[in-house]
Amino acid sequence: MSGFTRNQLIHGGDYNPEQWLDSPEILEQDIAFFKKAKINEVSLGIFSWAMLEPEEGKFDFGWMEDIVNRLYENGINVIMATPSGARPKWLADKYPEVLRVAPDRRRNLFGGRHNHCYSSPVYREKVGIINRKLAERFGSYPGVLGWHISNEIGGECHCDYCQDAFRGWLRERYGTIEELNRAWATTFWSHRYQSFEQIESPSPIGECDLHGLKLDWRRFVTDQTVDFVKVEVQALRDGGSALPITTNMMYFYGGLNYHKFAEVIDTASWDNYPLWHKQPEPETAAEVAVYYDIMRGICRKPFLLMESCPSSTNWQSVSKLKKPGMLLAASLQAVAHGSDSVQYFQMRQSRGANEKFHGAVIDHYGGEDTRVFREVTQVGEALEILSELTGSGVKAQAAVIYDWESRWAMEDAQGPRNKGLYYHEAVTKIHKGFRRIGLNVDMPDMEQDLEGYAVVAVPMGYMFRKGFGEKLKKYVEQGGYLILTYWSGIVDDTDLCFLGGTPHELMDVCGVRSAEIDGLYDWETNSGAAVPGNSLGMTGEYRCRNLCDLVQLRGAEEVLRYGSDFYAGQPALTAHSYGKGMAYYVCADFEEDFYNDLCRKVSEAAGVKSLWVNLPEGVELSTRQDEKAEYLFIQNFNPSAVEWDEVPEQWQQIYGEVSEKLPGFGTKVYKRAL
Amino acid sequence: MSGFTRNQLIHGGDYNPEQWLDSPEILEQDIAFFKKAKINEVSLGIFSWAMLEPEEGKFDFGWMEDIVNRLYENGINVIMATPSGARPKWLADKYPEVLRVAPDRRRNLFGGRHNHCYSSPVYREKVGIINRKLAERFGSYPGVLGWHISNEIGGECHCDYCQDAFRGWLRERYGTIEELNRAWATTFWSHRYQSFEQIESPSPIGECDLHGLKLDWRRFVTDQTVDFVKVEVQALRDGGSALPITTNMMYFYGGLNYHKFAEVIDTASWDNYPLWHKQPEPETAAEVAVYYDIMRGICRKPFLLMESCPSSTNWQSVSKLKKPGMLLAASLQAVAHGSDSVQYFQMRQSRGANEKFHGAVIDHYGGEDTRVFREVTQVGEALEILSELTGSGVKAQAAVIYDWESRWAMEDAQGPRNKGLYYHEAVTKIHKGFRRIGLNVDMPDMEQDLEGYAVVAVPMGYMFRKGFGEKLKKYVEQGGYLILTYWSGIVDDTDLCFLGGTPHELMDVCGVRSAEIDGLYDWETNSGAAVPGNSLGMTGEYRCRNLCDLVQLRGAEEVLRYGSDFYAGQPALTAHSYGKGMAYYVCADFEEDFYNDLCRKVSEAAGVKSLWVNLPEGVELSTRQDEKAEYLFIQNFNPSAVEWDEVPEQWQQIYGEVSEKLPGFGTKVYKRAL
Amino acid sequence: MSGFTRNQLIHGGDYNPEQWLDSPEILEQDIAFFKKAKINEVSLGIFSWAMLEPEEGKFDFGWMEDIVNRLYENGINVIMATPSGARPKWLADKYPEVLRVAPDRRRNLFGGRHNHCYSSPVYREKVGIINRKLAERFGSYPGVLGWHISNEIGGECHCDYCQDAFRGWLRERYGTIEELNRAWATTFWSHRYQSFEQIESPSPIGECDLHGLKLDWRRFVTDQTVDFVKVEVQALRDGGSALPITTNMMYFYGGLNYHKFAEVIDTASWDNYPLWHKQPEPETAAEVAVYYDIMRGICRKPFLLMESCPSSTNWQSVSKLKKPGMLLAASLQAVAHGSDSVQYFQMRQSRGANEKFHGAVIDHYGGEDTRVFREVTQVGEALEILSELTGSGVKAQAAVIYDWESRWAMEDAQGPRNKGLYYHEAVTKIHKGFRRIGLNVDMPDMEQDLEGYAVVAVPMGYMFRKGFGEKLKKYVEQGGYLILTYWSGIVDDTDLCFLGGTPHELMDVCGVRSAEIDGLYDWETNSGAAVPGNSLGMTGEYRCRNLCDLVQLRGAEEVLRYGSDFYAGQPALTAHSYGKGMAYYVCADFEEDFYNDLCRKVSEAAGVKSLWVNLPEGVELSTRQDEKAEYLFIQNFNPSAVEWDEVPEQWQQIYGEVSEKLPGFGTKVYKRAL
């Protein structure tokens, strides 16, 4: 269970009644509309600090209490936010230290959101006070489901407090300055430090070439942010609230290692804003699926879809309307991947400021006779039907490693392609390869366990974090099937290159050594052609781009060979048995078809069983399960219907049109007892 | 009358003799050349402060007096500039406050032009002193026609003086901070102010999301700039000069609401630098025509073309030579649209600094045996022939609303397309639609009167400034024909969204409600197909792009219907009769052909009479008139000749080749008595 | 002789043993590998300051002495660097003045390299101390060949010390402020100075429109940098070292006028990083050839190739592997053009920081069984064979003027095309034209002598530096053949336009006056068609782009005429005999074929003799010679073999495959006695 749910899937979202306090008729209307649309939750207080503490030390919680009560009387629960995401003007004016300092060391003026120093003692104190008071007031309310810490946490600060904290963090990590000098290779360009006091955070007007510094700074930013969240949570606990905690993470945001938040939150939640209809919808669905599987892995249990847009957003370069049916399909995709909620930003459109044209359940027109309102209501109806699967989990046989720290290091390092490494694409292609044969996929990082997975893929595992090489070796030894690609096992934890050959610790496992790596211009391609009679049963030829690894064979079998350039005929895909398992080494950035075939072949070789191995293009299959039952979601992300063979007998349809087709954007849900 | 003219069209331009004081032979040569080219005016002193006041309080006006006298003796008048556009180094060194502060709050160093704070008491004082002295010396000279305030005024300053002035301006506008909080919707993201003292101007390192603040800042910048001009004018009046006032405005500049200058100047003037020959010349001519019609509307009387380039400019990415005949055609286009002058930047090319390669009447070579000199002389000859129409006006039956404030708000708001709203293009397409049937067009803003226009078009009237919706309603009620487009009537004066449906106040007038608006990617199109038998007589199908409004019919007739996407078959153009008039609602950003047909059909319906309804492509027809006569300009902006039916009998040709053709880039002018 | 060589071509490069002091087995391994690869030199100490002076005033040279000794014992020489290219953290922390101030007047933080103020007294003092100590310790070592001053010197500083130095520099140049005002045309925009104290360096937040200021600032930056090098050199001399001096210059770097370094160095050296395999290899070879010929001209004697990459770089957007044979061909191209060395960055890859993936002789793997190591060894073998030509020179019959100062002025001036003047391309096309007929080419700047050249080309000689027009006139008068192009002779030394017609001083020599110049958009072309029977024997038609000069004939013969636009039929190439010589004026930016034909025709007319006038496409011919012998290099930059007629009898092959073909990327070297 997510901890937030009370035996029903949550349907709701961000609500800002403080913008309408002078229009009581609107607040009343809202509740009537919520009930009609089967809204059972709203998230309150996300940017309300100025209304809750209009002057320093003067609190006004009455208006919020009224609303929480009114909602509860109408069967609507509340997720209560802490207001630290934006601060009142008086706070910034009196204590400028709370404002963020940019990498060029210039302090921001008041404005925007995400504009506070998370090290500032004053900011921590002031957030602590209001959080504690909120907890005292609302922390045990029957309708309050839990806490929503701040909002879309992100960014960094370079003020003196942060510099000090960073130095302390480094001292703890490295012990001595000599060890830091070694780890960061500071002898290069005479950048050696004599003491921790000399260290400054990376800056475009200062140090920006020392990868170890930059990588550790990013780690510090995550840790300091987590530390700030701890302060927030402690204040809530001090205020007497024992309710569960979440914070809403962001689609595509790369600035924080979200895995580190698992220690301070009870449930992961996230805000999902894909660009539906920009490309064919199945492509978008496949990309979103990656994010769902990442987010589910943070706390390794059901999560919440904390925000999504009921209509079109307003911050993209072009904001398209969601076509009929898209909202429902997209909302149920969340549930299929393990979400216990469908929540929106926002319940009612604000009249002014920069999100006034962001889609909402209730728009400026203010009527219920809108397409959006009708489609939101359909979602509400679906969630009621599916309510029984609240809290059920997702089991995966395949894992694709997605690691923030390795990505930071890889994208910061200057290497064979500084213009497009396509890490995210590599991850997505392998993820899709497994999903195409109907497998659930987990996306652990390098720190998480690999036990229980039949197949593990490590696309572009550039940095082998401490113990990861060893973990993979053991995984294969004990019978695991490993897919490892080019540009893996190159550097250690602090971005120091491994000596003696790569992929580090896995040359014997994979039976190859990576000798050179070629960067290809955008207009260049090469290919890999199957070696006749290869043990994996690969046939045909696949195009590759961007990066081509030239490997020396050390025992591996050649499965594909390059088709052109001076390395034509050299291995492009290899297979090697090691211990009780197998290791496949992918040398180049191959096209999607390659990964589809590879994942299928390797899964077969690993003895993985899938419910459905011939999914029509654009159809997603996902399962959730608890002790009693398994639930099967079939979703068609094509705009038009596809043929669909009925599911095996033991499955009983519990949602969706009953027919031999899957309608465009249609979803069917089945159940079987366990 | 423009106030500057003395019964002749002005032919002249910017002249900087202070650059040549050490070469008296050049100054003498210049006057001889001017007379040859029928130059009857020069603009003096535009950047002469350092030469007029080489040290603080030491003035040297002698050199200028010599030149003014010499010019006068040779029949050449002077428009005298105030020198505030650039300041001497000593002034900036002694009083750093006169230099501008950027949005990031960093004060500029000395350099460039447009680099002064228009709030600075010192700058106002110093400008006042030199202006008064100039007025005392030259304010009653017989050859001096009037004052040219500063130069191409623009830009903004964020210094403490400006912050204070802005706060005062806001206090006057809103009275209480509560009212400002309401108007700016500051409850959003906790940006509420407790007092006016807390307000800071928008900044990329501070507040940049509050649209109300940004919009009011732009209004303040205009008002404060106008206030600075008032100080300049007052000093001239204090110096005893009663001569008329202008300031030269800029092609394409969007930073100031030029309409607000009407209260401080007598005559509008502007600098016109189109990119002739980049696209087909008729396209450029059509774009320039829009600007002429805007500029004529500022003071609603004849204006001056204060600058134009006799040859190629030097600041564009590619500077093409003007092809033979282009200069003459472009110059007479100004006169056709209501200008009482053709003036150039510059009379003689400077030898150094960053405009040294800008085209000039006399170039570095220094001879009169140049193509440019010959073509300038042709312009002089034409202006002499046309001299009798000096002071005549332009009467228009059609108006297209062009509003700076609405544009600011619209382009700042985050909405359905943040990548290209194409407001300027929408305005131009409608303007061209009317011009194509030979109509003069006025381009008022939302504050100006609509009386007397048979047809009024409001393209993308996003913000309905106070009273504008009501004004349009009354206009239609009383028999006006209104063309209103998508994305109109969305927000009020402070960018707060109207509640209850849009287009605000005009849903009953137009018989529609805008329900949703779809943003289209650049590669997407839709279409509108005519409903058979529609009352407007539209036929065929038109392509649309960028934005598609989905409207609910509330009584209007469907004239076009969308051709594709999920809203295929829904209305794309509607017509509705209201009161004694008609309202047409254009739902999407249609192609040019659509507007050509629409403007023709609606004009016919409105009973508008045009001299010529079948103008050849690329031919412009314009008229000017006074109490005694009407003048008809026919201009061919094609590089090659077009067939041309002679004008009706009562018209007498007074300028141009007599033939049955219009030569390439050719102009004919006719006259009839009234 | 370069001064650095000891009767053998140098083979070596940058080596950073200080990064491996804790791995003595690696240092030992390195030397063994060096000997295997015929490495006879390494460059030491380039970024070693922090290791040489770990605390202020505490020096540790022991580790370096060990290494120098060990290398010497193994027959490996050393080029010793001064460490000023990057400084220790303690220096920046204690003396912030050593850090650079950016144009916006903000001082950098510590970080990167190239980040010091070259005016700072403290920096000069500290560099002086360590240089002197290095000279005392190593300045007379038998294995030390000479000094490598700093590293890839570049950049600028705007601190108060630099401002003062700049003012002093200007005072010396102009004497009086009046003269400076005249030279910079400061009357424009009221920018007149009353004293030198008022002058500030150019800044994006201040003065950025005064071309004279910007041009002089760039000159000052060069002079101040040279002055800093003088300080470095003096310290070495003070330390008792009489060894020769170089500093490594940079491919493509435009910030310094490298010619000014001739007074402080003994031998030019440079770092060559072309993008092999991005375009067809012969194109790249032709571009690199231009740089070789520029660098050879700095000291007018053999130079050193101080850095090149043995494999792929890591700082380009895409880093390709060098294909087999490319390294050898590229290395020998250096020797063919006058280099006495082939040196690499780097000998052993660093484990960390931002060049860790830059190619090296020994990579992270650490074995000698790599393709790169084998190819480096081939280079070593070739250099041994060719050792006898060490110190031989290059004689050229053709010269193409390449002038930094003119380029700075031209690219800063706003003129007919601010988007792409294509100066470098114009230079390259003419250079290629001469190289295609087998000529060596020199590339002097406007200050160098033209004596002895049969043909001199001046592409886009925008600024005629003092005496240059006169020099060209005399050159033609005395029988020289001059090719001058559009946009030449426009401004004087301080960017003031010449009055009275252009090309200044050469209108009579060329028999034309440039009347107007047209900028063409990227999508526009014109053409030049040969006038039948022209004296140069040109035939056919050539395309031109970008800029078209419209000239008035003043005695010249028309050779080509424009094909379109309003200037169709006007001259596009002219010829004019003057004195004993000829002057050709190229009016437009013509395509490569034009220059191939023009250079051939003019060379023939000038009676130039070439060894080989029909070189196959992609083949380079170069010669070096000393008193005793001439050496002929034939290099095929095509990836596949070309037919090749043997060389005349007196030539004896001393290197390369003996066959009737030139293999792909193959080189043959011949010798004949003189």
Side-chain angles (χ1 to χ4, degrees), chain C residues 96-144:
Chain C
E97 71 165 66
V98 306
L99 296 174
R100 218 163 257 190
V101 169
D104 68 357
R105 307 302 193 255
R106 190 167 49 178
R107 193 178 293 279
N108 283 355
L109 303 174
F110 177 82
R113 36 178 191 165
H114 311 303
N115 187 9
H116 61 272
C117 170
Y118 39 64
S119 302
S120 154
V122 166
Y123 199 63
R124 289 176 168 224
E125 179 198 335
K126 296 296 178 184
V127 167
I129 291 169
I130 194 155
N131 281 13
R132 205 181 59 243
K133 285 190 179 287
L134 281 168
E136 287 166 1
R137 189 74 157 256
F138 299 109
S140 312
Y141 257 57
V144 176

Side-chain angles (χ1 to χ4, degrees), chain A residues 41 76 243 342 445 643:
Chain A
E41 177 268 358
I76 299 164
L243 290 173
V342 173
D445 75 349
E643 296 292 329

Side-chain angles (χ1 to χ4, degrees), chain B residues 134-136 138-140 146-147 233 235-245:
Chain B
L134 282 168
E136 287 166 3
F138 300 108
S140 312
W147 295 101
V233 173
L236 296 173
R237 299 308 182 213
D238 291 349
S241 178
L243 290 173
I245 306 283

Side-chain angles (χ1 to χ4, degrees), chain B residues 247-268:
Chain B
T247 188
N248 56 331
M249 300 171 183
M250 287 178 279
Y251 192 59
F252 273 131
Y253 182 67
L256 293 168
N257 181 354
Y258 282 147
H259 281 287
K260 298 291 187 190
F261 285 74
E263 59 166 308
V264 284
I265 59 176
D266 297 293
T267 295

Side-chain angles (χ1 to χ4, degrees), chain A residues 243-320:
Chain A
L243 290 173
I245 305 283
T246 191
T247 187
N248 56 331
M249 299 170 181
M250 285 179 281
Y251 193 59
F252 274 131
Y253 182 67
L256 294 168
N257 180 355
Y258 282 147
H259 282 286
K260 298 292 187 189
F261 285 74
E263 60 166 308
V264 284
I265 59 174
D266 298 292
T267 295
S269 68
W270 74 298
D271 301 347
N272 183 28
Y273 291 104
L275 280 70
W276 290 109
H277 313 306
K278 183 169 186 182
Q279 55 185 350
E281 290 79 5
E283 297 294 316
T284 305
E287 286 170 12
V288 174
V290 172
Y291 279 94
Y292 279 126
D293 292 344
I294 291 172
M295 292 293 164
R296 189 183 61 242
I298 306 286
C299 293
R300 297 205 150 188
K301 65 179 182 184
F303 57 94
L304 303 179
L305 173 62
M306 188 58 84
E307 292 185 21
S308 62
C309 186
S311 172
S312 61
T313 62
N314 75 316
W315 47 266
Q316 296 166 355
S317 59
V318 174
S319 288
K320 293 206 74 61

Side-chain angles (χ1 to χ4, degrees), chain C residues 499-548:
Chain C
L499 300 183
T502 63
H504 183 65
E505 292 186 296
L506 298 181
M507 289 184 289
D508 52 349
V509 174
C510 295
V512 298
R513 178 177 83 80
S514 165
E516 299 186 77
I517 188 158
D518 197 21
L520 276 64
Y521 287 106
D522 287 351
W523 57 87
E524 291 183 313
T525 60
N526 205 318
S527 63
V531 176
N534 67 76
S535 66
L536 197 56
M538 295 285 274
T539 55
E541 193 171 341
Y542 305 92
R543 227 170 19 164
C544 57
R545 299 177 170 279
N546 302 318
L547 288 170
C548 289

Side-chain angles (χ1 to χ4, degrees), chain B residues 377-671:
Chain B
T377 306
Q378 285 169 14
V379 175
E381 289 162 354
L383 296 180
E384 278 194 359
I385 292 168
L386 298 174
S387 214
E388 65 174 274
L389 53 70
T390 308
S392 59
V394 170
K395 285 206 177 152
Q397 293 171 286
V400 177
I401 303 297
Y402 181 84
D403 194 275
W404 263 274
E405 297 194 5
S406 175
R407 181 176 194 169
W408 291 338
M410 180 169 67
E411 295 184 347
D412 188 38
Q414 298 212 287
R417 265 185 74 94
N418 299 320
K419 174 202 183 175
L421 282 167
Y422 301 105
Y423 174 63
H424 194 79
E425 289 75 4
V427 168
T428 302
K429 282 189 281 192
I430 297 186
H431 182 272
K432 266 171 107 169
F434 290 123
R435 295 284 299 154
R436 288 276 297 144
I437 51 172
L439 299 184
N440 290 335
V441 180
D442 278 351
M443 306 211 60
D445 75 348
M446 291 185 187
E447 285 193 335
Q448 291 180 323
D449 278 347
L450 301 180
E451 272 170 51
Y453 297 117
V455 191
V456 169
V458 183
M460 302 183 81
Y462 168 76
M463 186 173 78
F464 273 10
R465 291 168 65 189
K466 206 166 188 118
F468 184 64
E470 188 57 34
K471 191 193 291 182
L472 289 179
K473 188 170 206 155
K474 211 171 283 173
Y475 170 75
V476 180
E477 211 163 49
Q478 293 172 356
Y481 278 63
L482 171 68
I483 298 171
L484 185 72
T485 82
Y486 57 94
W487 212 229
S488 287
I490 306 293
V491 301
D492 73 9
D493 258 287
T494 62
D495 206 39
L496 283 185
C497 292
F498 291 122
L499 301 183
T502 64
H504 183 66
E505 291 188 298
L506 297 181
M507 290 184 288
D508 53 347
V509 174
C510 295
V512 298
R513 177 176 83 81
S514 164
E516 299 185 78
I517 188 158
D518 196 21
L520 276 64
Y521 287 106
D522 287 352
W523 57 87
E524 292 183 312
T525 59
N526 205 319
S527 64
V531 175
N534 67 76
S535 66
L536 199 56
M538 296 285 273
T539 56
E541 192 170 341
Y542 305 93
R543 225 172 19 165
C544 58
R545 298 178 168 278
N546 302 317
L547 288 170
C548 288
D549 195 346
L550 277 53
V551 303
Q552 267 187 357
L553 290 178
R554 292 187 168 191
E557 173 200 349
E558 294 174 85
V559 182
L560 299 182
R561 290 192 184 119
Y562 283 119
S564 59
D565 212 327
F566 73 88
Y567 41 89
Q570 295 187 23
L573 169 67
T574 65
H576 189 236
S577 98
Y578 181 82
K580 300 183 189 155
M582 284 293 294
Y584 303 91
Y585 190 82
V586 178
C587 301
D589 183 357
F590 278 105
E591 64 186 317
E592 210 172 300
D593 279 352
F594 166 83
Y595 283 108
N596 288 343
D597 291 349
L598 180 73
C599 290
R600 178 185 304 269
K601 298 286 186 187
V602 172
S603 296
E604 281 168 13
V608 172
K609 298 243 174 294
S610 163
L611 259 175
W612 235 280
V613 292
N614 288 310
L615 287 172
E617 192 80 43
V619 170
E620 270 212 7
L621 184 155
S622 313
T623 62
R624 291 182 67 162
Q625 66 185 89
D626 54 21
E627 321 76 57
K628 293 169 294 179
E630 186 174 11
Y631 300 91
L632 172 64
F633 287 72
I634 312 283
Q635 296 202 273
N636 176 16
F637 285 100
N638 300 292
S640 50
V642 297
E643 297 291 329
W644 180 250
D645 307 326
E646 274 310 293
V647 296
E649 254 179 80
Q650 74 269 41
W651 293 95
Q652 166 203 352
Q653 186 170 352
I654 61 172
Y655 177 79
E657 202 182 295
V658 180
S659 76
E660 280 169 18
K661 295 207 170 196
L662 266 172
F665 300 152
T667 300
K668 296 184 181 186
V669 185
Y670 301 83
K671 174 186 182 178

